[in-house]
Amino acid sequence: MRGREQQLAQISASLHNVTSARRSKVLMVEAPPGAGKTRLLVEAATIADRSGFAVVNGVSGGPDATPRAALAPAGPRPHTPGTAEDRFHFPSASATIEAVRAWLRNDAKPTRTIVVLDDLHLANLPALTALCDLVLAHSGRPILWLLALTSDRDAARCDPVKTSFCKLQGRVPVEPVRELGPLSDEALTQLVADLTGAVPDPALLALARSVNGKPRAVIELVRGLVEDGDLCVVDGTSRLQPGSPGSDPAGSGVCMPAPVPKHFSTMIQKNLRSLSAPTMKALRLGAVLGSPFAPEDLSAMLGEAPVGLLAAVDEAVNRGLLVCGEHDLAFRTEPIWRVLLDSVPPPVCALLRRQAAEMLLSRPGGIERAALQLVHIAQPGNVEELRVIAEGSQRLLAADPSTAASLATRGMELLPPGQAERVRLAKTAVEAFTRAGSLERAITLARDTIDEAARFAAPWSVLAADIAALRASMASALLLLGNAQMARRAAGDALAAQESGFHHREAVITYLAASYLTGDSTAVERAQRILSAPDRHVQAVQVGAMTFHAFSQWRDGRAGDAVQTLRKAVALGGEDVQLFDPRWFLAFALTRTDEYEEAAEVVRFSARTAASEARTLAAAVSAVLRAPLHLAQGRLDEAEEAARVGVGMEGPYVPMLAPQAWLVLALVSLRRGALTQAEDHIKTLEKDFPQHPSSPWWAARLLLNAQLAEAQADSRAATEALAEIGAHAGALRELVLEDPAAAAWCVRCALAADMPDIAQRVVDTAEYLRTRNRRVPAVLAAAMHARALAEGDADALAQAGRLHRNPWAQAAVAEDHAGLLLDRGDHESAISELDRAMSAYGALGGEWDAARVRARLRQLGVRRRHWTHAQRPVSGWESLTKTERKVAELVAGGLTNQQAARHLFISPHTVGFHLRQIYRKLGIRSRTALIRLKV
């Protein structure tokens, strides 16, 4: 039973209690129609039967029960007269109780028994009294009385049952079964999947949620959709047939819920018929106003005082049609909204929309809501209506970019080509699509509008300024899409068109960013010229110039100065969120310099901005900012979750920032020892987001390649990868600044590979950075750590450990300190440090690092357990232990036993042992079969 696991667990516990206490107990089940009460009783009887209980079954097999063979008691069976339908109508209820009485009288042994009786609300008072007397008479026997009644809006029907059973209180344990409320989303998904044979898509799940999550209604809905041919299964997902109502929510019009299938509409309409006339009127008007809608708007449309809404709203909320927000009301689901909206005749709906728009325009701040009404009824050439739509779309840009885009594009449809207002609406739509994360759609619309204006506009000079502004918005979208070259060209064209006048701030900022990302050194000079004459530029341009000036400071190795410049840029920009917000880059810089508290506050500001914009550009940016911060703090699960959003696995994303998210995913996999997965992430990064020496993440990608090379091969392979970094001026500086533990790691690899010249080059670079960042503890710690390791200075290494704030670097210090102690012959202290390092890596989720330290301990004759007991199946993938899964992944990836052993810091013999266990559990006999099964 989906969604009733807690109730079944309660019933099972009561069966156990009855068995152990050898006394009776009463469980009362009260539920509304369709909640699955009868199905629960049938399932409970089945559980009791399997547990060796005699089952006295008075369940009628109503609509909640799934078709199955009729259950009967174990041993001698009582005869229950009457049909399923009339069983509990008097006198059948009395007959049933008499049959139970006879069964109990004939049961010489006190057999464990469950008595299941349904629909007690239909029994009369004498029958209920007789039942209570029977319960009391046999209270000393191991009987579980599972008694059920149906509750509905007529509460009086249940009063006799409750009154009768009050006499049991204190004499027999009476316990209510947990409420059979609406199914949770998880249970609802499982139920629909059971009925359709595939996981439902969001549109189908929304329909199921709209019938209050009651099992019977969901079953009826899905079966009706199947019978009408409205459902299909595509790629393992059950969904509405393409072309059927509701199958394409995106094509439902401006701020309109998607159409719904006929069967669903019929079900909802049937439910609506029982509503009072005032409630129905209020709901239909609310549907016209939209979802959510303001209560004061509904009150004005109804012509009633707010107090007149109370009864209607209460009824609608209690029936699961409306939900109350802090300041507004909303339909519980879009499909419900659509059914109510369709109930309003189109001509009347148009009149109501115009009335609503006039009302809203008369109020301060009502223009956005008025635009949402007029967009459905506006006529070409109506200047005032078009003005309202245009202004409404502008005002919605930040709060609701998707709706702003819909309004602007609809406004464009009402204007002929070549008009200035059409170009301005296109700019609004492009900016809105960009904010919503629909970058390619924004670019396509901008290009089409520019081409259209060139064909129709006369003279061109009339549109020059508007076209330049549109090019600037297109350039921003191109840059966010990751196409810096084309973005720079588009922004340059916009600036050239504005040469004689005021430069659009978006064009200036985008040109600076694109120039920087393409390696154009003039970007730094241009930023400095802007900062040297601040009075000649608007505040947003100054903020952009400061941001890109901070980039050059970082590349020069002045990390502290870069952070200070970014802080000033954020302060100058205030609460306004820029398209290329300095907070983005401040969060990255603070994370890399171990200023976690301040970085978290910056990220929280970004998250607050994105909270109302789920699945938009702002939400994607917030995820990219969180990912490296979580990683630096050792929260690998959170880092992976945020990075998945940042690369577009959960919705729209920002390709310009996606390399950072891919780096986090690869590093998380590397830390966990999932080397094949880490390599796949790096390949995706290199293929889809090629980096060059001017790219912000170029050094980070090379460092990651080197770390993976060490994991897959050895330190010499890693050092050879590091040599590529040394060939580019400034790249080593960026690498050392990328991670506080990076410099020490490079030194460690170089020394292990017997390449002291590379080790010295890294130490010199770290020292150079230390002299330029004397107030940045992370840089000081990194330099001290690298030099101490290179010089074998254990005391300096301990001091570096106290200075580090990065938990990965702290663990690395303990590991490196152990190495120096071993060189001195102090094995006891070295083992203590290795234990500390292994514990630290383990707490951070760094399984790969912990395994490396564990191998060193093993070489010293110390064995540490690293497994925990877990309940697993005896066969199949789920039966494999964590180590067996890693062995399977490596071998399926083509590695030999010896190569896999080196990866896992175990012996080839141990790998062979794990392989034999894997073959046995998976029912295979060879590596080829394992590879085929993995694929």
Side-chain angles (χ1 to χ4, degrees):
M1 284 194 70
R2 301 301 188 184
R4 304 305 186 211
E5 292 80 8
Q6 290 184 336
Q7 289 83 356
L8 289 173
Q10 182 183 2
I11 293 170
S12 296
S14 294
L15 290 170
H16 177 76
N17 291 342
V18 164
T19 300
S20 58
R22 308 297 296 177
R23 294 187 61 81
S24 292
K25 181 176 182 178
V26 177
L27 285 182
M28 297 293 297
V29 183
E30 183 177 356
K37 167 178 62 66
T38 301
R39 178 75 177 82
L40 178 72
L41 299 180
V42 170
E43 194 68 26
T46 303
I47 293 172
D49 188 36
R50 289 173 182 167
S51 301
F53 275 69
V55 180
V56 182
N57 193 355
V59 178
S60 64
D64 295 339
T66 55
R68 60 171 63 208
L71 293 172
R77 310 296 199 249
H79 171 68
T80 305
T83 65
E85 287 73 19
D86 67 2
R87 184 172 298 163
F88 286 102
H89 289 86
F90 185 81
S92 299
S94 299
T96 302
I97 293 169
E98 285 305 315
V100 173
R101 191 193 305 276
W103 158 257
L104 295 173
R105 185 171 54 248
N106 294 333
D107 183 20
K109 299 178 182 179
T111 306
R112 293 181 303 157
T113 305
I114 182 171
V115 178
V116 186
L117 299 177
D118 197 2
D119 293 335
L120 289 183
H121 61 285
L122 299 179
N124 59 22
L125 191 57
L128 293 171
T129 302
L131 178 59
C132 290
D133 291 342
L134 189 61
V135 171
L136 290 172
H138 295 280
S139 60
R141 296 183 57 171
I143 303 172
L144 179 63
W145 299 83
L146 188 57
L147 311 177
L149 63 153
T150 299
S151 59
D152 55 20
R153 288 182 292 278
D154 184 8
R157 298 180 68 189
C158 299
D159 289 343
V161 180
K162 297 176 181 178
T163 302
S164 299
F165 280 85
C166 281
K167 65 191 301 185
L168 299 180
Q169 296 292 341
R171 304 168 74 179
V172 176
V174 179
E175 180 182 316
V177 171
R178 289 176 180 269
E179 180 186 4
L180 299 180
L183 296 178
S184 66
D185 274 357
E186 181 181 0
L188 200 59
T189 301
Q190 292 171 337
L191 177 57
V192 177
D194 292 340
L195 296 167
T196 62
V199 177
D201 75 345
L204 178 55
L205 195 59
L207 294 180
R209 198 180 292 118
S210 300
V211 293
N212 286 336
K214 291 183 178 179
R216 185 200 301 174
V218 173
I219 293 168
E220 179 188 341
L221 169 66
V222 174
R223 287 177 178 168
L225 293 175
V226 172
E227 289 171 4
D228 292 348
D230 286 333
L231 287 187
C232 64
V233 176
V234 179
D235 296 332
T237 300
S238 55
R239 51 166 295 171
L240 296 171
Q241 284 279 9
S244 65
S247 62
D248 182 17
S252 55
V254 181
C255 305
M256 284 276 287
V260 295
K262 182 179 178 181
H263 186 83
F264 172 82
S265 180
T266 302
M267 287 183 65
I268 297 298
Q269 287 173 3
K270 181 180 178 182
N271 184 38
L272 295 175
R273 290 191 198 108
S274 60
L275 293 172
S276 66
T279 299
M280 191 62 190
K281 181 180 178 181
L283 286 172
R284 295 171 82 186
L285 278 175
V288 173
L289 288 171
S291 184
F293 59 89
E296 58 267 28
D297 295 345
L298 179 60
S299 177
M301 292 289 287
L302 287 168
E304 294 183 5
V307 68
L309 298 179
L310 281 175
V313 171
D314 280 347
E315 185 178 11
V317 170
N318 290 336
R319 293 287 291 275
L321 299 169
L322 287 181
V323 292
C324 289
E326 187 175 356
H327 302 293
D328 54 28
L329 298 166
F331 291 97
R332 193 165 62 83
T333 67
E334 286 202 354
I336 291 174
W337 174 20
R338 182 65 193 226
V339 171
L340 283 158
L341 188 59
D342 287 344
S343 72
V344 182
V348 178
C349 186
L351 288 173
L352 290 171
R353 288 193 184 283
R354 193 168 299 281
Q355 178 187 345
E358 292 171 358
M359 172 196 69
L360 293 165
L361 285 172
S362 67
R363 297 182 180 177
I367 198 164
E368 299 98 313
R369 287 179 287 164
L372 293 175
Q373 295 298 327
L374 291 176
V375 74
H376 299 285
I377 57 175
Q379 298 297 314
N382 190 316
V383 176
E384 177 58 21
E385 290 177 348
L386 285 168
R387 182 195 67 78
V388 172
I389 292 172
E391 189 173 343
S393 63
Q394 274 286 339
R395 293 190 182 191
L396 285 169
L397 262 177
D400 190 352
S402 295
T403 300
S406 297
L407 284 174
T409 51
R410 175 58 183 152
M412 290 180 66
E413 294 171 2
L414 299 171
L415 287 166
Q419 289 199 10
E421 185 57 35
R422 182 177 169 92
V423 177
R424 294 185 193 115
L425 280 167
K427 184 192 181 304
T428 300
V430 167
E431 187 175 346
F433 281 132
T434 299
R435 288 175 178 267
S438 301
L439 300 176
E440 292 182 348
R441 193 170 179 184
I443 295 163
T444 299
L445 177 60
R447 285 175 174 156
D448 289 347
T449 305
I450 292 169
D451 292 343
E452 173 189 274
R455 292 195 306 271
F456 290 96
W460 174 262
S461 59
V462 175
L463 297 179
D466 292 319
I467 292 295
L470 182 57
R471 287 189 190 278
S473 294
M474 180 177 70
S476 296
L478 283 165
L479 185 59
L480 292 169
L481 193 61
N483 195 332
Q485 290 284 3
M486 292 190 68
R488 184 172 183 272
R489 191 177 307 124
D493 290 344
L495 292 173
Q498 299 172 323
E499 202 60 54
S500 58
F502 172 73
H503 285 177
H504 195 280
R505 65 178 188 177
E506 194 173 9
V508 177
I509 296 171
T510 303
Y511 188 83
L512 282 173
S515 298
Y516 174 82
L517 292 173
T518 54
D520 184 352
S521 60
T522 63
V524 177
E525 299 170 6
R526 188 160 189 151
Q528 290 174 339
R529 285 201 302 271
I530 291 170
L531 295 177
S532 63
D535 55 323
R536 296 177 55 190
H537 301 278
V538 297
Q539 183 173 290
V541 171
Q542 295 177 52
V543 170
M546 293 171 72
T547 301
F548 297 109
H549 178 58
F551 286 3
S552 67
Q553 291 176 313
W554 185 275
R555 281 203 166 155
D556 288 342
R558 293 180 289 145
D561 292 342
V563 169
Q564 284 300 107
T565 300
L566 288 169
R567 285 172 176 152
K568 291 177 182 177
V570 168
L572 181 61
E575 294 289 310
D576 292 339
V577 178
Q578 310 287 332
L579 187 56
F580 299 104
D581 199 310
R583 290 179 182 83
W584 300 358
F585 311 108
L586 178 59
F588 290 145
L590 290 169
T591 297
R592 283 160 176 74
T593 53
D594 295 350
E595 299 292 342
Y596 301 136
E597 291 81 6
E598 187 180 353
E601 183 55 41
V602 174
V603 172
R604 276 194 291 272
F605 180 90
S606 176
R608 287 196 298 271
T609 303
S612 60
E613 301 179 49
R615 300 180 68 82
T616 63
L617 181 147
V621 169
S622 176
V624 175
L625 301 185
R626 292 195 306 273
L629 178 59
H630 288 321
L631 177 63
Q633 294 177 303
R635 298 199 292 267
L636 298 190
D637 289 342
E638 292 94 329
E640 182 181 36
E641 181 182 358
R644 286 174 61 84
V645 175
V647 300
M649 293 183 183
E650 310 292 339
Y653 74 115
V654 185
M656 185 186 80
L657 299 178
Q660 174 66 77
W662 281 112
L663 286 167
V664 170
L665 285 175
L667 274 167
V668 168
S669 297
L670 184 61
R671 292 290 190 187
R672 289 172 172 166
L675 305 187
T676 302
Q677 192 175 51
E679 186 176 17
D680 289 342
H681 291 325
I682 294 175
K683 287 178 179 177
T684 300
L685 174 62
E686 293 175 341
K687 174 178 173 290
D688 296 343
F689 307 93
Q691 304 287 299
H692 54 81
S694 297
S695 301
W697 293 282
W698 184 76
R701 193 262 300 169
L702 291 181
L703 173 61
L704 187 55
N705 276 338
Q707 291 172 329
L708 183 61
E710 184 213 20
Q712 291 178 327
D714 52 29
S715 297
R716 177 167 290 276
T719 309
E720 289 172 355
L722 288 173
E724 182 182 354
I725 299 175
H728 297 272
L732 198 53
R733 288 199 301 268
E734 290 189 57
L735 182 147
V736 173
L737 289 175
E738 182 65 28
D739 179 352
W745 179 85
C746 293
V747 169
R748 189 184 312 121
C749 285
L751 294 177
D754 196 21
M755 295 182 176
D757 55 329
I758 292 181
Q760 188 59 49
R761 199 182 311 160
V762 173
V763 171
D764 292 345
T765 300
E767 284 297 314
Y768 169 83
L769 292 171
R770 181 183 64 80
T771 60
R772 309 197 82 185
N773 298 276
R774 296 187 182 278
R775 295 186 178 182
V776 183
V779 176
L780 301 182
M784 186 179 297
H785 188 172
R787 178 170 290 282
L789 189 59
E791 296 177 353
D793 189 338
D795 295 335
L797 196 58
Q799 186 178 352
R802 290 189 291 272
L803 196 56
H804 270 306
R805 295 186 63 199
N806 182 288
W808 300 100
Q810 291 171 347
V813 165
E815 185 180 359
D816 292 335
H817 194 204
L820 296 183
L821 292 171
L822 285 173
D823 292 341
R824 291 181 178 179
D826 188 351
H827 283 217
E828 185 175 345
S829 298
I831 290 171
S832 177
E833 284 290 81
L834 287 173
D835 277 335
R836 187 163 70 91
M838 188 175 70
S839 296
Y841 285 134
L844 295 169
E847 298 172 22
W848 166 258
D849 302 287
R852 180 182 63 247
V853 175
R854 190 178 298 109
R856 295 189 70 178
L857 283 167
R858 196 181 301 118
Q859 291 170 359
L860 295 172
V862 179
R863 292 190 173 272
R864 299 288 186 241
R865 291 174 58 180
H866 60 282
W867 51 269
T868 55
H869 179 71
Q871 293 290 337
R872 295 189 182 88
V874 295
S875 62
W877 281 105
E878 295 300 321
S879 70
L880 302 184
T881 66
K882 186 180 293 186
T883 302
E884 287 168 351
R885 287 192 183 200
K886 288 182 178 179
V887 169
E889 179 185 336
L890 294 171
V891 171
L895 271 63
T896 64
N897 284 16
Q898 191 165 3
Q899 290 170 326
R902 187 166 62 248
H903 279 287
L904 298 173
F905 300 103
I906 56 180
S907 70
H909 173 77
T910 303
V911 170
F913 170 78
H914 285 310
L915 267 180
R916 289 191 293 275
Q917 300 302 313
I918 293 166
Y919 292 167
R920 176 181 60 80
K921 292 180 179 181
L922 298 183
I924 57 178
R925 297 184 178 182
S926 67
R927 304 170 86 91
T928 303
L930 177 60
I931 294 171
R932 189 181 302 116
L933 189 60
K934 187 71 167 65
V935 171

